[in-house]
Amino acid sequence: MDSDTEAEQNGGSLLETDPGQGGLADNTTAEEATGVAIESQDLDVYYGDTQALQNVDIQIPENRVTAMIGPSGCGKSTFLRCINRMNDLIDVCRVEGDLFFEGKNVYDPDVDPVALRRRIGMVFQHPNPFPKSIYDNVAYGLKIQGKTENMDERVERALKQAALWDEVKDRLDESGLDLSGGQQQRLCIARAIAVDPDVILMDEPASALDPVATSQIEDLIEELAEEYTVVIVTHNMQQAARISDKTAVFLTGGELVEFDDTDKIFENPESQRVEDYITGKFG
Ligand code: ADP
């Protein structure tokens, strides 16, 4: 991913965007009242001639952790990238069907993907801090959005929410690149939440980290769900079982085979194929 794209993910292009043109109103919708943050209907995704997702119907609840699990190549990341239209950046990618965020189809022509990404932040597999100070990493998106008042308080709040403040409060001027891998990932989470999104998408956020750092990220994800809707792709079934409220199981061919409460999926799934996958018979 190039730095422009990373910047955009963190609010980098928002200055050029009239907030009134985003197509996504900030007011409460009927969907919010019923607790659905994201809904897809008959979602098909293709890369050229290859179909990556088939007829995916899902309702992702707000202020919960929803995990996407399934074998490699079954479309989990593709689905995640549909939510904030990151797939727009892939020339051969084509999306059919509907995907609603708070009741608005994010693929409607009047939706500005940059405005959408301001509401739906993303954290990637490999921590990717900017080559800037810890403070500036968190302040970056806020500055781009012109939210410069009370900057110190905003940076402190985001770092506290990301459970990083105590470790960095005396070294905010040091480079974000000098932090450990786990700290870098929490810095990226602080950067994502500083601009006050509604949803945080996480694509294997702990898979490059050691067990202690992984455990810290898992604790953090559970806390974040008190304020944000979290959607996480993980190849680690135990991790999904530990931290998520809902689990979606994708299987080969991009089919969403089962979506339910996480306890139900892991203890008593409806589908034999899901049971076989969970119990390690394949995948
Ligand atoms: P997962 O996250 O479950 O591992 P992906 O969403 O990455 O699965 O991939 C789903 C399918 O789409 C795979 O067959 C993969 O090879 C294909 N795919 C993913 N990204 C691209 C791309 N940029 N170009 C072409 N095919 C892709």
Side-chain angles (χ1 to χ4, degrees):
M1 182 169 298
D2 61 30
S3 57
D4 282 352
T5 308
E6 288 178 8
E8 187 174 286
Q9 264 302 297
N10 295 285
S13 320
L14 295 173
L15 250 192
E16 289 144 31
T17 308
D18 176 351
Q21 300 299 306
L24 291 163
D26 271 320
N27 52 326
T28 303
T29 64
E31 283 70 18
E32 273 183 307
T34 60
V36 176
I38 296 152
E39 175 168 6
S40 74
Q41 291 174 0
D42 275 339
L43 193 74
D44 293 312
V45 180
Y46 302 84
Y47 295 101
D49 295 333
T50 307
Q51 187 162 9
L53 288 175
Q54 290 186 49
N55 299 106
V56 174
D57 290 324
I58 194 169
Q59 290 191 326
I60 295 175
E62 63 178 1
N63 291 92
R64 296 282 183 277
V65 179
T66 296
M68 312 260 146
I69 64 170
S72 185
C74 66
K76 306 180 294 296
S77 298
T78 296
F79 183 81
L80 202 71
R81 291 194 303 258
C82 283
I83 298 173
N84 66 348
R85 290 186 47 180
M86 287 292 281
N87 287 329
D88 287 11
L89 306 168
I90 302 171
D91 284 346
V92 294
C93 186
R94 194 173 86 249
V95 178
E96 293 177 2
D98 295 316
L99 200 151
F100 299 99
F101 167 53
E102 296 180 349
K104 174 76 177 169
N105 190 336
V106 305
Y107 287 93
D108 278 353
D110 63 343
V111 172
D112 176 351
V114 176
L116 178 72
R117 291 171 200 147
R118 189 172 54 214
R119 307 274 309 273
I120 305 180
M122 195 160 192
V123 174
F124 299 90
Q125 180 172 6
H126 294 284
N128 58 351
F130 300 137
K132 295 174 179 291
S133 70
I134 293 166
Y135 185 99
D136 284 342
N137 261 278
V138 182
Y140 185 86
L142 290 165
K143 283 185 189 161
I144 295 291
Q145 290 186 27
K147 294 179 180 169
T148 50
E149 73 284 4
N150 306 322
M151 185 63 95
D152 290 353
E153 286 83 357
R154 288 174 188 261
V155 169
E156 179 175 337
R157 179 171 178 269
L159 285 166
K160 280 183 171 162
Q161 276 194 299
L164 188 58
W165 174 250
D166 288 342
E167 292 160 62
V168 301
K169 63 182 180 214
D170 299 323
R171 48 193 288 214
L172 294 173
D173 291 338
E174 290 178 22
S175 171
L177 299 175
D178 290 341
L179 297 172
S180 71
Q183 289 172 325
Q184 287 189 13
Q185 195 61 305
R186 280 179 282 142
L187 180 62
C188 293
I189 292 170
R191 187 176 64 185
I193 58 186
V195 294
D196 203 20
D198 298 295
V199 178
I200 305 173
L201 307 177
M202 298 187 166
D203 198 348
E204 306 257 18
S207 65
L209 305 180
D210 65 48
V212 172
T214 297
S215 170
Q216 288 172 326
I217 295 283
E218 288 185 2
D219 290 346
L220 173 57
I221 289 169
E222 289 183 281
E223 282 170 29
L224 289 175
E226 289 171 18
E227 197 162 333
Y228 307 97
T229 299
V230 179
V231 188
I232 175 172
V233 165
T234 177
H235 68 273
N236 181 333
M237 281 192 272
Q238 287 75 24
Q239 181 171 77
R242 279 193 297 268
I243 66 171
S244 70
D245 303 288
K246 293 272 187 182
T247 296
V249 187
F250 290 80
L251 292 177
T252 310
E255 189 188 351
L256 173 59
V257 178
E258 197 163 337
F259 176 59
D260 211 327
D261 292 343
T262 294
D263 291 348
K264 171 91 168 86
I265 291 285
F266 283 95
E267 287 163 20
N268 186 23
E270 297 290 323
S271 158
Q272 185 63 45
R273 284 192 294 159
V274 170
E275 181 163 343
D276 288 349
Y277 177 66
I278 300 284
T279 55
K281 288 192 184 143
F282 77 92

